[in-house]
Amino acid sequence: MTSPLNNKTGYGLRVGREIVKLDKQRITIGRSETCDIVLSSALVSRQHARVSVSSDGVHIEDMGSRNGVVVNGTPIERPTKLAHGDTILLGEEQLKLVLLMPERQNTMREVRTADTLVGDSNPDAEEATRQGNLLEVLGGVVDKQLALGHGAEAERLLSKQLRLTLEAAKVGRVNATLSQQAAQYGIKLAAATNNPDWVVYAISMYHYQGEVMPVTLVDELYSLLRKVRGVPIDVVRSYLGVLRAREHGLSPAERFALKRIEGLEHIVLL
């Protein structure tokens, strides 16, 4: 049984909109109800990770989980020291280590505690960017799966996050960098699984926003569509209709990209 800590300055883990105070020397995280912090994602192991708190600081270690522990985008292989603001990815669940101010350290679990955090007083802004950050962190794990030829596993890890990113794109909450990153992973998954739905996904990321897909991605589609069959021609034609409607306002580079996108229609029809 772990003993409680009684230090003046403490740490907490942000789990969604909730702050869990780290008030024991060892705290387990996983799907099991016996864990101190219970996460519901199927990608989280029953006993996934352990957080240790001591005079030397806060450390996290993998407990032999299936999908590993990723800290600030890097998978860890040994106990790793954490600092305020570090992000932790367990499966598709993202946590963040935060420093708590002394006057509000009374309970193990507190809700709506943004005012207790040092240098972290805007949780709404953080939540707005959470999906993009999570996709970036997941990418490192997915790239390794793709490099090993594990397309189905990469798809399992990333599909939910990509769908959420597409939903954000529908309401204009995705920037150009995230659009390209998400579309790029759609293309990668299509290549790894031969699933035409991921080609549709890549096109839809730009279709919903009425933006021109970068030429680099279009060029990848030229090669991909010769291997992945079954992409609905209506998807390409609908996207072209959106772009042609605003063609007069496109830059020269965007007009060039549009011409390349028009060529995709012919390849899909082959």
Side-chain angles (χ1 to χ4, degrees):
M1 185 175 180
T2 57
S3 59
L5 298 175
N6 191 27
N7 48 339
K8 186 176 181 181
T9 300
Y11 286 92
L13 280 176
R14 182 189 290 281
V15 184
R17 297 297 303 275
E18 189 174 358
I19 304 298
V20 180
K21 184 178 175 232
L22 304 181
D23 66 348
K24 297 197 298 183
Q25 291 175 334
R26 288 182 297 278
I27 295 169
T28 56
I29 308 172
R31 283 190 298 109
S32 172
E33 292 296 330
T34 63
C35 291
D36 297 298
I37 299 176
V38 179
L39 304 176
S40 60
S41 171
L43 299 183
V44 174
S45 298
R46 290 182 58 79
Q47 299 279 338
H48 198 114
R50 179 187 296 112
V51 174
S52 302
V53 184
S54 68
S55 58
D56 189 39
V58 180
H59 293 75
I60 190 168
E61 60 184 303
D62 191 351
M63 297 177 67
S65 66
R66 178 180 178 184
N67 292 313
V69 176
V70 179
V71 176
N72 296 331
T74 302
I76 66 170
E77 298 179 354
R78 58 183 61 85
T80 299
K81 188 171 185 177
L82 299 173
H84 169 66
D86 283 350
T87 57
I88 304 153
L89 188 68
L90 309 180
E92 60 188 3
E93 299 275 0
Q94 181 173 277
L95 293 71
K96 182 176 182 179
L97 186 73
V98 292
L99 184 63
L100 302 178
M101 296 182 68
E103 62 267 23
R104 290 287 300 279
Q105 296 187 47
N106 300 319
T107 62
M108 171 66 180
R109 191 174 287 264
E110 296 183 355
V111 183
R112 298 184 302 276
T113 53
D115 58 320
T116 71
L117 308 183
V118 176
D120 191 13
S121 59
N122 193 350
D124 291 330
E126 178 181 284
E127 185 66 19
T129 61
R130 178 178 179 271
Q131 299 302 334
N133 293 338
L134 184 53
L135 180 60
E136 183 176 355
V137 172
L138 272 172
V141 179
V142 169
D143 285 339
K144 289 189 176 182
Q145 294 297 324
L146 290 172
L148 293 170
H150 300 162
E153 180 66 11
E155 185 177 48
R156 185 180 70 84
L157 288 170
L158 199 55
S159 58
K160 178 181 177 181
Q161 193 57 41
L162 288 178
R163 301 296 182 192
L164 290 172
T165 305
L166 185 62
E167 290 301 313
K170 291 179 181 179
V171 294
R173 295 179 180 174
V174 174
N175 60 31
T177 299
L178 183 55
S179 293
Q180 183 163 352
Q181 185 181 29
Q184 180 75 72
Y185 275 113
I187 292 171
K188 288 181 178 181
L189 290 178
T193 64
N194 288 317
N195 185 347
D197 289 346
W198 289 115
V199 176
V200 174
Y201 175 90
I203 295 172
S204 298
M205 280 300 303
Y206 290 92
H207 185 181
Y208 284 131
Q209 300 176 89
E211 297 294 338
V212 179
M213 180 180 284
V215 172
T216 54
L217 296 184
V218 177
D219 287 346
E220 290 188 48
L221 288 178
Y222 266 82
S223 299
L224 184 63
L225 287 173
R226 291 181 170 87
K227 302 174 184 177
V228 179
R229 314 305 298 178
V231 175
I233 188 61
D234 290 348
V235 171
V236 179
R237 287 174 174 169
S238 178
Y239 178 42
L240 283 171
V242 170
L243 296 183
R244 286 166 180 158
R246 55 180 294 256
E247 185 173 1
H248 66 281
L250 299 180
S251 68
E254 289 174 324
R255 289 195 186 96
F256 174 76
L258 174 56
K259 293 299 181 184
R260 294 288 290 162
I261 295 169
E262 288 173 338
L264 295 177
E265 182 177 11
H266 173 69
I267 297 176
V268 171
L269 288 171
L270 291 177

